[in-house]
Amino acid sequence: MPSLNDYLILSAVLFTIGTAGVFVRRNLITILLSIEIMLNAVNLSFVAFGRAFGTVEGQIIVFFVMTVAAAEAAVGLAIVIALFRHRESLNPDAFTALKW
Amino acid sequence: MLFYFFGALAVIASLLVIAQRNPVYSVLLLITSFGALSGLYVLLDAPFAAAIQIIVYAGAIMVLFLFVVMLLNTPHEDTDADEKTHPMLRPGPMRFGAAMAVALLGELAWALSRSGPTSTFSNTPVTSLSAIGYTLFTDYAFQFEVTSVLILVAMVGAVLMARREDQPGEKR
């Protein structure tokens, strides 16, 4: 039977993978996907804490995190589409000017 | 036992997400990872979280990602240097970022190792959907309404930013 610590360690590992993805990858889509990995790692720890304390708030905050993730994905992908239309590139290094 | 299966599946799929060149494969692997996380939510007696994980995350958000990836149609990263090297083996700030991520994992593991023995979930779980709904619409009703405003703003912003600017001389 896994304990709370096991779930928190798994959550930490997933969060680290997401952080490494944001740092290492040079592709805007993959960076957004890495942010989704990080949000899900946090969701896992919220659910584990809610289960450990026997409260319902753990699942409710997962609901709110998912709405924020949906909004972030929609706006982020719209920005990616607008940037791609200007530069024909998904590399963040291509977007160094504030105006073009 | 199931915990280790789902946990290993989530970790491996997430690692492959950031190691893939093709964003389509990344999105599909991330859906696999979300499925494993949904199984973990079921193990944690949270069927509501498991269901919305599949329906909203894997079903809606990831399909939005997949749609944009296929719309942009860029199966590979751009520059020749990026094409030649594997994403995990690039020099400079990226390697530094990977080292910082490992340091973050070390810090989190150190913090968790000092927390002492923890419970193995002896409380009675809250699994009923009616209890979740009751709390959501009484204690968190204001936050719920604010969330709807957030979604509206995000929708308007996404439409505004992704809109193609009108060409000069072209009629609307």
Side-chain angles (χ1 to χ4, degrees):
Chain A
M1 190 67 189
S3 68
L4 175 61
N5 259 11
D6 294 337
Y7 282 100
L8 291 183
I9 287 170
L10 176 61
S11 169
V13 170
L14 286 176
F15 190 87
T16 308
I17 292 171
T19 317
V22 171
F23 281 128
V24 171
R25 295 305 303 270
R26 296 290 89 181
N27 184 329
L28 284 176
I29 299 272
T30 318
I31 288 175
L32 281 175
L33 290 177
S34 302
I35 293 173
E36 300 291 329
I37 295 176
M38 292 160 82
L39 287 168
N40 270 279
V42 175
N43 269 354
L44 179 63
S45 61
F46 275 137
V47 174
F49 274 123
R51 176 69 185 87
F53 297 142
T55 56
V56 75
E57 272 82 5
Q59 295 177 61
I60 286 176
I61 199 158
V62 165
F63 174 81
F64 286 125
V65 170
M66 276 189 196
T67 19
V68 171
E72 172 252 325
V75 176
L77 288 172
I79 292 174
V80 167
I81 290 174
L83 286 173
F84 187 79
R85 206 173 274 152
H86 277 286
R87 282 293 161 98
E88 294 291 317
S89 167
L90 285 179
N91 193 337
D93 296 334
F95 312 114
T96 51
L98 281 176
K99 188 179 178 187
W100 60 77
Chain B
M1 189 61 221
L2 272 176
F3 169 77
Y4 295 105
F5 172 71
F6 284 132
L9 188 60
V11 168
I12 291 170
S14 302
L15 273 176
L16 287 176
V17 166
I18 67 168
Q20 284 292 330
R21 284 180 205 281
N22 193 332
V24 176
Y25 293 152
S26 290
V27 174
L28 293 177
L29 282 162
L30 194 56
I31 291 175
T32 309
S33 169
F34 287 170
L37 278 173
S38 175
L40 287 172
Y41 293 159
V42 171
L43 291 182
L44 283 167
D45 299 311
F48 172 67
I52 60 172
Q53 174 84 12
I54 292 290
I55 296 169
V56 177
Y57 239 125
I61 301 180
M62 283 303 115
V63 169
L64 181 66
F65 269 96
L66 204 56
F67 182 76
V68 170
V69 168
M70 292 183 172
L71 174 75
L72 297 183
N73 195 18
T74 54
H76 296 288
E77 297 184 24
D78 290 315
T79 62
D80 288 337
D82 281 352
E83 284 287 335
K84 281 182 191 124
T85 56
H86 193 269
M88 305 301 283
L89 298 175
R90 295 201 192 126
M94 300 168 199
R95 191 172 293 167
F96 178 66
M100 274 176 43
V102 172
L104 175 67
L105 179 64
E107 286 170 10
L108 289 171
W110 178 77
L112 285 173
S113 70
R114 292 177 63 87
S115 67
T118 53
S119 63
T120 53
F121 303 131
S122 51
N123 292 316
T124 52
V126 184
T127 55
S128 85
L129 198 54
S130 62
I132 297 168
Y134 182 80
T135 314
L136 188 61
F137 287 109
T138 52
D139 294 350
Y140 297 95
F142 177 69
Q143 287 89 334
F144 186 81
E145 297 301 327
V146 171
T147 303
S148 68
V149 177
L150 171 73
I151 292 284
L152 178 68
V153 171
M155 191 176 73
V156 173
V159 169
L160 192 68
M161 273 183 286
R163 192 183 53 159
R164 190 179 293 275
E165 282 164 32
D166 293 327
Q167 304 295 323
E170 186 187 347
K171 273 200 171 175
R172 275 197 156 172

